[in-house]
Amino acid sequence: MNKTSISVIFVGGLFAAALTVTVGAQATRSSNEGVYTAEQATKGDAVYKEQCAACHGDNLEGSGPMPPLAGKDFLANWQGKTVGDLFEKTQTSMPATAPGTLTPEQATNLMAYLLSVGKYPAGSAALPDKTDDLKKISIDAPK
């Protein structure tokens, strides 16, 4: 085999692996299905006030380079993605002054708060704090 054939096989294998991961991670639930509890949202409100409001605003409106975390602009950025995508972004890069310092529980509670402010219904089951589980929940327009 020559180098070109090996490269084609390698790239093809990477593409197949990426496709498998993408297909396996498709959302199976909607953010409209009561995927968090009101208690989580209340805890998330406290996390937001302490860790996020200074940059994203008291009303989640964002300012300048800080994106809004509610409303039409937020939905335009996140609709079609998953709660897991938002959780991962939040947990790895926020707060901006100390990226990666939110615990999984804080980040999960924050996701619940964002959903509550976005007018998604609360439910009886808590939002999980595992990225793989959260990737099964799509962010859809609130009903």
Side-chain angles (χ1 to χ4, degrees), residues 23 33 37 39 57 70-72 83 87 94 99 107 119 135-136 141-142:
V23 171
E33 295 178 21
T37 64
E39 180 183 357
K72 291 184 285 183
V83 175
F87 174 86
M94 293 292 131
K119 307 291 186 222
K135 286 207 180 243
K136 296 176 183 171

Side-chain angles (χ1 to χ4, degrees), residues 116-142:
S116 73
V117 171
K119 307 291 186 222
Y120 296 96
S124 58
L127 196 61
D129 65 359
K130 304 278 187 259
T131 304
D132 289 344
D133 295 332
L134 294 170
K135 286 207 180 243
K136 296 176 183 171
I137 305 168
S138 63
I139 299 174
D140 303 315

Side-chain angles (χ1 to χ4, degrees), residues 67-85:
L69 300 177
K72 291 184 285 183
D73 290 335
F74 172 79
L75 193 57
N77 290 331
W78 289 98
Q79 187 171 355
K81 295 180 180 149
T82 69
V83 175
D85 296 327

Side-chain angles (χ1 to χ4, degrees), residues 2-126:
N2 63 31
K3 288 182 181 180
T4 302
S5 297
I6 292 171
S7 295
V8 169
I9 291 169
F10 180 73
V11 171
L14 286 177
F15 177 77
L19 183 60
T20 301
V21 169
T22 301
V23 171
Q26 288 182 340
T28 58
R29 296 176 65 195
S30 168
S31 51
N32 286 302
E33 295 178 21
V35 297
Y36 68 94
T37 64
E39 180 183 357
Q40 279 182 308
T42 299
K43 290 177 182 177
D45 181 21
V47 173
Y48 183 83
K49 286 175 181 169
E50 182 181 309
Q51 301 288 335
C52 313
C55 293
H56 292 279
D58 291 338
N59 298 313
L60 294 87
E61 69 275 10
S63 177
M66 301 304 171
L69 300 177
K72 291 184 285 183
D73 290 335
F74 172 79
L75 193 57
N77 290 331
W78 289 98
Q79 187 171 355
K81 295 180 180 149
T82 69
V83 175
D85 296 327
L86 182 57
F87 174 86
E88 202 168 49
K89 168 91 172 156
T90 302
Q91 191 165 38
T92 59
S93 64
M94 293 292 131
T97 57
T101 59
L102 294 176
T103 67
E105 181 181 13
Q106 286 175 310
T108 300
N109 291 339
L110 187 55
M111 297 302 101
Y113 176 64
L114 296 180
L115 290 170
S116 73
V117 171
K119 307 291 186 222
Y120 296 96
S124 58

